[in-house]
Amino acid sequence: YGEPVEQEVMWDAEEYAQKNPLFTDENGMYQWDVPQGMWQVRFNKNGYEPTRSEWLPVPPPQLDVNIGMTQLRQPEVAMVHAYKDGVVLTFDKYMRPETLTTDNISVTQNGENVTGTIELMNEEQGDSEKYASKLRFVPSSEFTAKTVTLNVKSDVESYAGVRMNSDFTQTFDIEKQIYVIGIDTLINVGYGESRQVLVEALPVDVAKGKTLNVRSVQPLIAEVDQETYTLDKHGRATITVSGNLPGATSLTLNVEGFDLEKHAVVQVVDESSRVTEKPVASVANGLVFDESFTVELTCGTPDAVIYYTTNGACPCDEEERILYDGPITIRKNTTLKAIAIAPGYYESDIATYYYFESSAIDEISYDAPFKVSPTMVRDGFVVKGDFYECDVMLYSLNGSMVQHNEHVGSGEFVSLSSLNSGVYIAVITVNGRPYPVNIVKM
């Protein structure tokens, strides 16, 4: 009658030393080794609509039999954080974006409605449309009150078209937030070796004492020595990354209780392609200081020699560079550049750190022949002034150059769309003179 099978029979897996039915693991994974035939997988879970696969012939092996299930339970507000620049709202399931509007989601301050917009933070493509479970209400200007009230109408709908049971209204204290997790975006580690990596969260007064969570996406390639760390009084932690197999994976980092998430690529290299690890400074990039201080340089590659300069010259220049043999004293505005070289390795990338006297910040800003607008950005900024063109280099707080824009004209837009949220040092060079500017990407 056109059906692919004559009779449906539940497979007796015990004859093959297996189990049927199975419970999927924490990642939703399942598998069987089955004999030749026509097979169908059926899925059931409380609160979800039952579903099934197509009839599948074996052989060939049937891989990636991934079936989406529809949950019929009413959605709920799972988590809310209120910050000066917005309210972050997370539902316990993915929602229909067309219902996540300011008509259904609003914020009041001192009893008055706040004008603003909705930004979806984790939009994903479904079978036929996009969905999101996390969003930010962005006010037209920063909140000034110590508390705000979030109102969510029951008209919001889950991906299955199910509405909330009732309206949600709750008042939240304005929290301080961690706005950056600083770590090298590319970490090279030798096959069979380990290296230490500095992680720094800012601002320090919020980050200190908090728990840092670190997870390797593929621990078979590279793993960390532990999954949680306590940030010290400077908001820092040192993690150890071990290279288990040649290849690439990534680390996912977040501070417990905060929404910000950071990713870093880990590349495990064999002996034939090893590169000396880049030197790391003990003081974060962009520090503004009142009194002199010392900086120590370290390198994770054994027997590495470190060279540095404090005048902006390349440490690759043998006439300019200085052999590092102990702490470096910083007394004035300084551009510290360092490179490391180890026997049998290629030389490292250049690490660059900027340190600014607090008394010189106003002078630098006032004296600069341009203005940067805005300095707290979402997509990018504009450099506008009395010049024909300038050079723009962006550095992370760990001293890595993450973007370089040459021949930027006055009024030209500098896009930061490829960068993660965080704090960066923009070094804008006009007429041969560099000017540092702090840029915060939201």
Side-chain angles (χ1 to χ4, degrees), residues 98-392:
E98 60 267 26
T99 68
L100 306 179
T101 65
T102 51
D103 290 333
N104 292 332
I105 300 172
S106 60
V107 175
T108 59
Q109 174 182 236
N110 296 325
E112 297 182 358
N113 286 327
V114 177
T115 60
T117 57
I118 300 291
E119 291 184 356
L120 304 181
M121 301 179 67
N122 64 342
E123 196 172 29
E124 290 191 11
Q125 180 66 50
D127 292 336
S128 58
E129 58 182 316
K130 292 183 177 180
Y131 304 100
S133 64
K134 188 175 183 179
L135 59 89
R136 178 191 290 268
F137 178 91
V138 182
S140 53
S141 59
E142 288 189 350
F143 298 122
T144 56
K146 293 183 178 180
T147 62
V148 294
T149 300
L150 173 68
N151 309 286
V152 182
K153 292 183 179 179
S154 60
D155 293 337
V156 296
E157 297 180 2
S158 73
Y159 66 93
V162 180
R163 295 185 178 186
M164 287 207 312
N165 181 53
S166 59
D167 293 349
F168 175 92
T169 299
Q170 191 169 332
T171 299
F172 297 91
D173 294 331
I174 296 295
E175 307 174 36
K176 290 184 176 181
Q177 64 177 316
I178 289 177
Y179 54 79
V180 64
I181 299 175
I183 186 174
D184 279 339
T185 53
L186 176 61
I187 301 168
N188 288 312
V189 58
Y191 169 46
E193 297 182 354
S194 299
R195 64 167 290 188
Q196 292 186 322
V197 179
L198 177 67
V199 181
E200 185 167 27
L202 295 174
V204 173
D205 62 331
V206 182
K208 62 182 180 181
K210 297 295 191 301
T211 298
L212 174 72
N213 299 312
V214 185
R215 180 178 64 87
S216 173
V217 175
Q218 297 185 52
L220 289 177
I221 294 177
E223 62 181 346
V224 290
D225 58 332
Q226 56 193 70
E227 294 184 350
T228 61
Y229 304 80
T230 300
L231 296 169
D232 65 17
K233 64 181 180 179
H234 303 294
R236 300 173 185 165
T238 300
I239 67 175
T240 301
V241 183
S242 301
N244 298 329
L245 288 173
T249 182
S250 63
L251 301 180
T252 300
L253 303 93
N254 72 282
V255 178
E256 197 167 295
F258 297 88
D259 297 305
L260 180 63
E261 189 171 81
K262 180 76 173 183
H263 301 276
V265 174
V266 178
Q267 183 172 291
V268 181
V269 296
D270 59 24
E271 292 185 4
S272 62
S273 59
R274 286 185 182 176
V275 177
T276 307
E277 293 179 17
K278 187 167 60 176
V280 176
S282 59
V283 179
N285 192 16
L287 176 72
V288 178
F289 62 92
D290 295 314
E291 300 178 350
S292 63
F293 63 97
T294 58
V295 177
E296 295 182 0
L297 298 176
T298 56
C299 177
T301 304
D303 302 321
V305 176
I306 300 175
Y307 295 95
Y308 72 95
T309 62
T310 55
N311 59 0
C314 180
C316 57
D317 187 338
E318 295 185 4
E319 295 183 1
E320 295 282 351
R321 70 190 186 187
I322 303 169
L323 174 65
Y324 176 77
D325 61 359
I328 304 165
T329 301
I330 306 296
R331 297 185 175 89
K332 60 181 181 178
N333 291 337
T334 300
T335 299
L336 173 63
K337 294 187 176 183
I339 194 171
I341 305 172
Y345 288 68
Y346 295 107
E347 67 182 26
S348 73
D349 293 332
I350 296 173
T352 305
Y353 294 84
Y354 292 93
Y355 303 117
F356 312 120
E357 292 178 89
S358 58
S359 60
I361 294 298
D362 291 338
E363 178 185 347
I364 292 172
S365 301
Y366 176 79
D367 187 48
F370 60 83
K371 288 189 178 296
V372 175
S373 179
T375 54
M376 296 188 68
V377 308
R378 294 194 181 278
D379 301 310
F381 60 87
V382 171
V383 183
K384 191 171 184 178
D386 186 19
F387 61 88
Y388 174 68
E389 64 180 21
C390 65
D391 184 84
V392 179

Side-chain angles (χ1 to χ4, degrees), residues 406-428:
E406 299 180 280
H407 311 299
V408 177
S410 177
E412 184 176 340
F413 183 73
V414 178
S415 174
L416 303 185
S417 59
S418 63
L419 300 182
N420 293 326
S421 299
V423 177
Y424 298 90
I425 308 298
V427 179
I428 301 172

